[in-house]
Structures are given as structure tokens and as C-alpha cells.
Amino acid sequence: MLCYFRCKKCGQVSDLLLESEAKTLKPSCNTCAKTGGSEVETKRTFAFAFGCRTCWKTWRWCTPSNYATAKAARPDCPQCNSNKEVYFIPSQVTKKKAEKRQRPGMLDDPQHDPSRYDTLDVEKTLVGVKRTKREELAKKEEDFIFTSLEDPSFATVSRMEGTYKQQRVRQKKFLKRFGEMKTGSNPQKTSELKTGRVIPRSEYDKKLKYKVDVKGTTYPKMNASAPTVVTDVRIIPRSSTWDYRELGPNSFLRRLSSILYMIHFGVDDRALYKKGSEDHKKASKAFKSDDEKYKPVEVQAMWAGNSLYLSTNNHLFSELLLEALQTKTTVQALVADINLGSGGTYKSLPRNFTSDHVDKVKEYQQAIVTNTESAYRSYFLFQWTYVFQQLREAVEFTNISSVTIKRSGTHYDSWTIAPGDKALTANRVFVVLPETDTPSKGLFVNKEVHAEELFYPILMELDAKGRLTEQSPAFVGGVKTACFTCALVLNAASTRLQKKLILPTDAYGHYWENSGKHVSALTFTPNTQTLVFSDNTTSHNVYDTEMPWSPKSPDHK
């Protein structure tokens, strides 16, 4: 406990003291000493610090109550006259409490540095160690009970504690409403899924007649343009849902990628002519040719080093995307101008999305266009709330440019960023472009490299610059789960970066030879499973690997 001196005659009090310190002092009330002498008593008390999220001021509260009682009572903030946003600051942060606050996704870094809990002596701050003549009785007791704490270091910890407790309140309310996350809905534990139907690769060997040789072994595929089946396959219903509460930034990127994926940059005049007419046939032929030329196949997004990176596996689509973004000046403005049924300059196609999925993409579009916190689903506030805020700001960034990846060697881990692009400035939107020309010059050809592979040299460069941390890691999210090779590349990056890279899932799709040529140590582990989604889980010819949406509850999807 702490203590203070009080004059029984006039009620004036001293400053707060440590009990050991009070024993060495001889207090006297100067006012009463002049009029017959003072009668000073020592009063024992507790002192607690509390903050207010409305005014973000911090106060010392002296009360005979213990911590639990005082915390439950929650006094009014002296400035706001309300205890609605009042929170207590623990005088001692144990190792267990510190670990909770230091868990990535709870507090921002460097704005909030959890290590400061270890360096601040709360008790000394509360007693005011820098004051002199602290035994002097010169305060009114009613003013002494609540005292403003102006210490800058303490104010920093106070704001940090307030932010942490606000996040914990959000999480508790979310858990009360939706319950704990089920393993079967956890995107990061798809390897533990027990649902769906498993088809051994040997069964595909019998059913699929087209074969291809990969590093001396023959594997089946549906046709020349299809992926290769190199593992067993687990087919789960397309209606399956994943719970993104711990992966809000990845989900945000997935949503954005899904919107951009539907843009059709080519010609589509089919609606202008009567179906079956010669003009309609010509328009259909032109559309098919353009769609094959510009179709992105895959769109991936990455948030890293406080910038947004967009990548596709079609160089022509990427160039047109960059041009559209620079024309509209922000991601938000481009998203608003995509015609998903309600008008817009940029045409769209459902691609391989179902009608339910297209409806959800319309919802994603409206959220980004509105871009208020309430426009998004509640799971975005469960974890990584500060990154969610950064992403909302990113769709309004006006600095938009490209970053070029050079094929410095055959394999992805030897690729580099073009010298003029290495700055990777923060607060920008980058469209990632592979350096393209002809194979004879050792450069990339169109559609040869997959979207996620292009992120690897960017991640390595940002990490080398010290711009990735556990509190501010990189996040990746796209339309589909990574193919077999891209999963290898992303997992290699994850092995290097550890908690500085958050991947959206441990699921992966089939093997594609075009991307496989960029991986040196390519192995297909027995008894592993490729995850694919289908409305018909009895089918064998299923290769759809778009990311499932979140649960269908009104607020949680």
C-alpha cells in the first residue's frame, strides 16, 4: 500500500508517499501550526491509474479499495464525467500479461511498443518521485483523490493499454456471438480437414488419359491446357465456408482481388445484336479472342511495408490494370467504376464465379466504395484491426506505379527488382510486372509466371530494409488458393520471414508446368492432398480453387 499525510484540523493533505519513505519524514501543517499547532495523521491508501478512450487522458485515483473492487467500480473520467470508456492500467504487467499484449495483431508497432511495459515503473510514477517537499500538507483532499498524470512515457503506455483492452472487448463480444472458431473452418488448418471426398492420384492415373512427364515421372492431366495431378485430391463442396476472423487483412486482399479479377478489358459487343445473327456470331468470336488475350486467370494482392501490391499472371491484363488505376487515380475510384450490374465504365465477367459468389463480389465492391468501418463485416475487427485501417486508407492512395521483376536467373529465388524500382516507397499502390520480351533474351513471356511468384523478391527486399516486423508483417490474399508451385514459393518465403509473413491458408491447388519451371528443388510428397472445390463432389474433373467466402451469418462473412 501507499500512504499520505492529512491534517485533522483543516483537512489538507500531502502528496502520495511510499510507506517506507513516510516513516522517515516529519510532516507538519504550516497553516495550522501558526494557529495552535497541527494534528497530522498518516492515512493508508491504494493508488491506481486509469485512462479514458474519449479524451485519452490518464488519471491517478486514490482509494481505500483494492484493485478488483476499484476496477469493478470504474470511476467517471474527471474531464468527460462518464466512465463509458474508462479502463484501468495494471501497476504490474506479469510475463503472462505481457505476452498477451505482445501477441501480433493486437497492438501496432512502432506506434505501440509492448516492450515499454517492461521499462515503466508504474508505482513510482503514481507517487510522483520527482516532486520535492512531498510531506508538505498543501492540497485539498477532494482534489487529491483524482490527479492528472502528465508523464509522457506513462501517457504512451496508457494509450497502448486502452487500445489493447478495446481490442479484447471486441474479441469477447465476437466470441460471445459467434463462438470459438472451428478447426474445419480455419483457413490455416485445411490440412486437418476431414470433410469432402479424397481421390487417390492413382485413380486419376486410370481416368485421365492425357499424360505428362515431370522430372522423369509420368503424371495425369485432363488435357494439354489443364494442370497436372501430382498428389491425392480432396474435393469439398463449393458451399464450404472459411472463418477469416484471424486473417482479416488476407480476407480484405481476397475481396479486392475478386473484384479486379472480374474486369474485362477486351471488346464485348454481344449484347448489341440478336442472338444467333451473323453480327452476334462475329461479336462472340471477337469477345472470345479478346477474353483469351486479356483474361487474368489469377489476381493476387499483397500488403507489405505499408504499400499495396497487385499481381496477375497475365502481363497484358496487368498493364491495362495499371493504366486504369492511374486514370481513375485510386483503387477505390476504379472499383466504383466497374460495372457489376449497376453501371460503370469498365465491363465485367463472372469468370468461373458462381452466381452466389458474384453477389458477394457486389457486396465487396460496395464496402470499398463506402469504405467506412461499419461497411465491412465484424470479423475485420477481431484481429489486426490497425492493418485493416491501413488497408482502408490504401484504397484511397493516389501514388500509383509499377514495380518490375527481372529474371536474373532461372529460378524464383534469384529474381531481382529492377534497379530503378528498389525503393519500394511506402504509402503507394504498385502493380507488379514481370520484365517481358522474348525467351531468347532470357525474359518472361506472357502468362509464363504466376502472380504469387512475383512477390518473392519484393518480400526479400523489404525484409532486407527492415520494413517487415511481427507487428507489421506482410499479408497475401487472392482469388484462388495458390497452385502447388506458388505454395512452395510462398512457404519458402514464410520459412525465411517466419511471423513477418501471414499467408491466407495452408491449402494449395494443382501443379502447373509454366510456374513449376521456376522452382529448382521440386518434389511431390506422397500422401499429401490438393484441395479443390466443386458443386459436384462425385466428379473427378474438378480444378476450381478459388478461396471460399466466410460463414453466411449476417455479420460474419
Side-chain angles (χ1 to χ4, degrees), residues 28 446 481:
S28 173
N446 192 36
T481 55

Side-chain angles (χ1 to χ4, degrees), residues 427-457:
N427 303 319
R428 295 182 74 92
V429 176
F430 292 98
V431 175
V432 186
L433 298 174
E435 189 177 35
T436 59
D437 201 310
T438 60
S440 62
K441 290 188 178 181
L443 307 179
F444 296 109
V445 295
N446 192 36
K447 297 186 180 181
E448 178 193 10
V449 61
H450 282 199
E452 300 96 320
E453 291 178 304
L454 295 172
F455 289 150
Y456 187 89

Side-chain angles (χ1 to χ4, degrees), residues 324-396:
L325 286 167
Q326 290 176 330
T327 299
K328 300 303 296 185
T329 71
T330 67
V331 170
Q332 183 187 47
L334 174 60
V335 167
D337 205 19
I338 300 172
N339 188 349
L340 297 181
S342 300
T345 304
Y346 296 90
K347 302 182 183 73
S348 71
L349 293 172
R351 307 294 181 196
N352 57 332
F353 286 163
T354 62
S355 58
D356 280 351
H357 206 152
V358 170
D359 288 342
K360 288 184 178 295
V361 174
K362 293 176 182 177
E363 177 194 317
Y364 304 162
Q365 180 190 43
Q366 186 56 48
I368 289 178
V369 170
T370 306
N371 208 30
T372 59
E373 188 176 280
S374 60
Y376 296 86
R377 296 297 177 177
S378 58
Y379 71 85
F380 282 106
L381 297 176
F382 185 81
Q383 196 167 329
W384 301 108
T385 306
Y386 54 92
V387 179
F388 170 52
Q389 173 62 32
Q390 293 165 359
L391 285 166
R392 287 175 47 221
E393 294 170 359
V395 298
E396 299 180 21

Side-chain angles (χ1 to χ4, degrees), residues 180-193:
E180 297 287 343
M181 180 162 56
K182 297 177 182 177
T183 299
S185 295
N186 189 341
Q188 294 181 313
K189 293 185 178 180
T190 56
S191 56
E192 300 176 22
L193 275 178

Side-chain angles (χ1 to χ4, degrees), residues 42-146:
T42 301
K43 298 199 71 172
R44 302 177 77 204
T45 186
F46 289 103
F48 306 108
F50 68 87
C52 174
R53 276 187 293 266
T54 301
C55 63
W56 286 111
K57 285 191 173 293
T58 310
W59 308 87
R60 183 186 74 187
W61 181 28
C62 291
T63 171
S65 302
N66 58 30
Y67 183 79
T69 304
K71 187 178 177 183
R74 279 209 309 168
D76 285 347
C77 168
Q79 178 157 311
C80 302
N81 297 316
S82 169
N83 68 358
K84 186 177 181 181
E85 294 295 329
V86 164
Y87 57 90
F88 269 64
I89 301 152
S91 56
Q92 289 185 329
V93 177
T94 62
K95 183 179 179 182
K96 187 176 180 179
K97 285 183 178 180
E99 286 173 353
K100 288 180 179 179
R101 287 154 176 76
Q102 291 167 0
R103 193 174 67 203
M106 296 299 289
L107 292 169
D108 193 5
D109 173 40
Q111 180 181 344
H112 296 126
D113 181 3
S115 66
R116 288 177 177 159
Y117 283 107
D118 301 330
T119 59
L120 185 69
D121 191 324
V122 175
E123 190 173 67
K124 283 187 177 180
T125 303
L126 290 176
V127 298
V129 292
K130 293 182 180 179
R131 291 181 61 87
T132 58
K133 297 184 178 180
R134 289 165 48 237
E135 73 276 18
E136 184 178 336
L137 280 62
K139 296 182 177 180
K140 294 180 180 179
E141 194 164 23
E142 57 266 31
D143 297 329
F144 168 81
I145 295 173
F146 292 110

